Amino acid sequence: MAATIYLHWTATAYDWIRPGHYHSIITGDGLVHRLHSYSVDLPAHTWQRNSNAVALSCSCMGGTPDPWTQPPTPSQLESLCAETASIARSWGWSAADINITTVMTHAEAASNRDGRSMHDNYGPVIWGGSGERWDLLQLKRNGATDGGEQLRAGIQALMRGEPSAGFTTRSDKLEPLLFRGHTTIKARGDDLPVQIDANGTSWALAADLLARYDIPYVWDTSLQRLLVGALDVAPTYRADAIQADVGWALFEMSLQTGNAPVILTGIMRPTSDRPVQTARAWCRVVEFAEEFGVSIAYNPLVLGERRGG
């Protein structure tokens, strides 16, 4: 059976981020926080549907006593569609593959709208359920009760190359982040090749950084992720993690543990130093250093030793 993507809200404040519940959480500002690799199962996001599934959730609907005092923001809905589209593309899906059997809201899953698992209906009351779960039934107060259809339409639009899912007024086309030049920096006393993007940020090949600090890793080609065997790293789930609007395909660097917590995300860019151009994994140098406890000096940028190394 093909994997399914389930869309949720957290019933919390806009800034709520906790690992273990969902693969990614989108805060009120629209930032996507990748918490676990999309290739692993998490135990408890959607009843009887946690296997071969990805769970994305918006931090919202935590108002008390009225949850609609903290509704999903347009930025959250836009990012929810963009992240779903990004995952779908990475699996080789097209816009035509986005339907209720592949992408569902928790409201729809709770009411078994796809007919997959004939459990008790704990979904919206209007669908004959107990009302326990109604995530994204509506996308705004007193809105239409077709939230799932609206989201799928937005995801399909993005996969067709249209600039916006329709929840914000954003009209810019998604252009890949530009790179302006290359140089070298010092890392553990030796030269390390880096490239500089249009914002002045330094990027290096993830494999070069991991090798420089003697951190074992395995590259998972089919899932475009780096599995890292460092036992002394605690992911920080940084608020400035790379977002889909960077315009490049993303990869994730995760720990080799059961729920594969994500350390950082990077981009896949082609290189010209090989006979055939091949996309390789690049990450931001400073972000890598901060996540792996590497000392940093600036002006010029220099990486020292790892904490305890």
Side-chain angles (χ1 to χ4, degrees):
M1 181 185 296
T4 306
I5 302 172
Y6 292 102
L7 311 179
H8 302 255
W9 59 41
T10 61
T12 65
Y14 287 128
D15 60 353
W16 188 87
I17 306 169
R18 298 288 188 279
H21 302 270
Y22 309 99
H23 291 84
S24 285
I25 291 177
I26 304 168
T27 44
D29 52 10
L31 288 179
V32 179
H33 303 260
R34 282 204 198 189
L35 305 176
H36 302 277
S37 172
Y38 291 142
S39 61
V40 301
D41 291 335
L42 295 180
H45 53 81
T46 314
W47 189 45
Q48 293 191 4
R49 294 170 177 263
N50 297 305
S51 297
N52 199 24
V54 168
L56 309 178
S57 193
C58 295
S59 292
C60 61
M61 296 298 284
T64 304
D66 179 7
W68 283 112
T69 59
Q70 295 180 334
T73 67
S75 294
Q76 282 180 307
L77 297 175
E78 194 82 23
S79 293
L80 183 63
C81 290
E83 189 68 9
T84 304
S86 177
I87 296 168
R89 285 192 207 97
S90 75
W91 291 346
W93 292 3
S94 68
D97 295 312
I98 304 301
N99 55 61
I100 198 170
T101 66
T102 57
V103 178
M104 299 186 76
T105 66
H106 199 173
E108 292 168 329
S111 289
N112 195 38
R113 302 288 278 188
D114 61 349
R116 181 180 302 177
S117 177
M118 300 306 294
H119 50 64
D120 289 342
N121 187 343
Y122 65 100
V125 174
I126 65 167
W127 291 341
S130 64
E132 183 180 350
R133 289 289 183 270
W134 54 291
D135 303 28
L136 300 166
L137 170 71
Q138 298 164 288
L139 305 185
K140 60 183 179 180
R141 185 193 292 270
N142 300 322
T145 56
D146 64 346
E149 290 299 328
Q150 293 181 57
L151 292 167
R152 284 187 288 273
I155 296 161
Q156 290 167 345
L158 291 172
M159 295 189 71
R160 290 192 297 266
E162 298 171 16
S164 172
F167 300 106
T168 71
T169 57
R170 190 180 74 194
S171 59
D172 54 304
K173 292 183 76 70
L174 196 62
E175 298 290 345
L177 174 68
L178 296 177
F179 283 76
R180 303 296 192 187
H182 54 85
T183 185
T184 59
I185 65 170
K186 292 294 184 181
R188 295 189 90 182
D190 292 323
D191 287 345
L192 178 75
V194 300
Q195 295 202 15
I196 312 299
D197 69 22
N199 301 317
T201 300
S202 297
W203 296 71
L205 287 168
D208 287 353
L209 285 166
L210 291 166
R212 181 63 53 92
Y213 287 93
D214 302 318
I215 300 169
Y217 69 91
V218 175
W219 173 248
D220 186 335
T221 302
S222 62
L223 298 172
Q224 288 198 310
R225 65 170 177 158
L226 274 166
L227 289 168
V228 177
L231 301 178
D232 56 348
V233 176
T236 60
Y237 309 118
R238 302 176 61 79
D240 62 349
I242 296 169
Q243 304 293 302
D245 60 12
V246 74
W248 295 94
L250 302 184
F251 80 92
E252 58 191 24
M253 185 184 296
S254 56
L255 294 179
Q256 294 182 21
T257 61
N259 59 10
V262 173
I263 306 169
L264 55 79
T265 54
I267 63 175
M268 299 298 295
R269 289 183 59 232
T271 59
S272 57
D273 61 346
R274 295 186 173 190
V276 178
Q277 276 203 338
T278 305
R280 299 186 69 188
W282 295 76
C283 62
R284 296 181 296 193
V285 172
V286 171
E287 182 180 7
F288 176 91
E290 291 173 338
E291 290 287 357
F292 283 90
V294 175
S295 62
I296 312 171
Y298 297 94
N299 298 321
L301 178 62
V302 176
L303 302 188
E305 294 290 338
R306 285 190 69 198
R307 186 170 46 245

